[in-house]
Amino acid sequence: NIDYTRYSYYYEDDKFGEIYSLDKSHSIEGHGINVKLGAIIRPFKYSPFKVGFALHTPTWFEYDEYSSASITDMDGKVIDTRDYELYNGDVIIRSKLSTPLRLNASMSYTFGTYLALNAEYEYADFASGSFNASSSVAKAQNEEIGYNLKEQHTARVGAELNLDGFAIRAGYNFVTSPFNSDAYKNMLNAAVTSTSTEFQNRLDKEIITAGCGYRGKNFYFDLAYMFQRQGSDFSPFYDTEYVNPSARVENTRQSIVGTVGFKF
């Protein structure tokens, strides 16, 4: 399901204190469906070695976008798209979108009951996403997807050491950026209701995890720590005549999750 709402406010003022401002409201409501198919295979009869394969179909979305804007000019005059006598309320755009196909391969090996190792790789081509419409706006947006997005590669490795019911775990996850280095938001080819000029190109992401757990006859617990780091290039707008005014942003996130359970 999609349920997204955004409000933005933009203004400019001059040395005389006169202000030009723009209020924007944008929401999306919709739903989608996909199918995930996979298999785990043990190729050697007496070996704990396993391989896995999975295919995630594109997610086919249908959604409605609701947009409105209010402009206040230097003279204080307000032009509001929600003036029903002039503009008939919100601007509504109905769209269909398909996300990229995903392919996944994995392998694992266990040493007795005390050590488990696994590795996983996932591939997705974000440039293959598309809006399913024959309109000129959808065609322009599909061109922008092809220009700005690219293939994404994800690699994960993990291990668990189990000693008499007490387990220690560790993992690492690396995800490449889905954006081309010169990706930008082309306002001319965006939906006509879009008035948000800023954009953010996410860079490579890495996640490090560590944890422990215990499994007893009537009691169990798990504790996990995650550290996530990802940079991005943030731009308030794009100007084709000047150097893109972007700023490098470093985002980090840390979390601790615990689970406690009792069996009766």
Side-chain angles (χ1 to χ4, degrees), residues 98-201:
S98 59
T99 64
L101 174 81
R102 290 182 177 270
L103 300 174
N104 183 287
S106 61
M107 59 182 178
S108 67
Y109 193 89
T110 56
F111 296 86
T113 60
Y114 61 89
L115 180 62
L117 304 174
N118 71 282
E120 183 177 349
Y121 169 77
E122 188 171 281
Y123 170 85
D125 183 6
F126 276 77
S128 66
S130 64
F131 289 90
N132 305 319
S134 59
S135 67
S136 58
V137 173
K139 290 180 179 178
Q141 290 177 322
N142 288 337
E143 289 181 356
E144 294 302 316
I145 290 175
Y147 294 152
N148 294 305
L149 299 180
K150 63 179 182 179
E151 299 173 340
Q152 184 181 67
H153 306 274
T154 301
R156 306 181 184 97
V157 292
E160 177 179 290
L161 178 64
N162 193 327
L163 301 173
D164 296 327
F166 184 81
I168 300 174
R169 310 181 184 100
Y172 179 76
N173 184 6
F174 183 80
V175 186
T176 64
S177 170
F179 292 93
N180 288 318
S181 59
D182 57 351
Y184 71 98
K185 179 190 285 188
N186 188 341
M187 296 298 294
L188 296 178
N189 285 337
V192 294
T193 56
S194 176
T195 56
S196 301
T197 61
E198 81 285 349
F199 59 94
Q200 188 169 198
N201 294 338

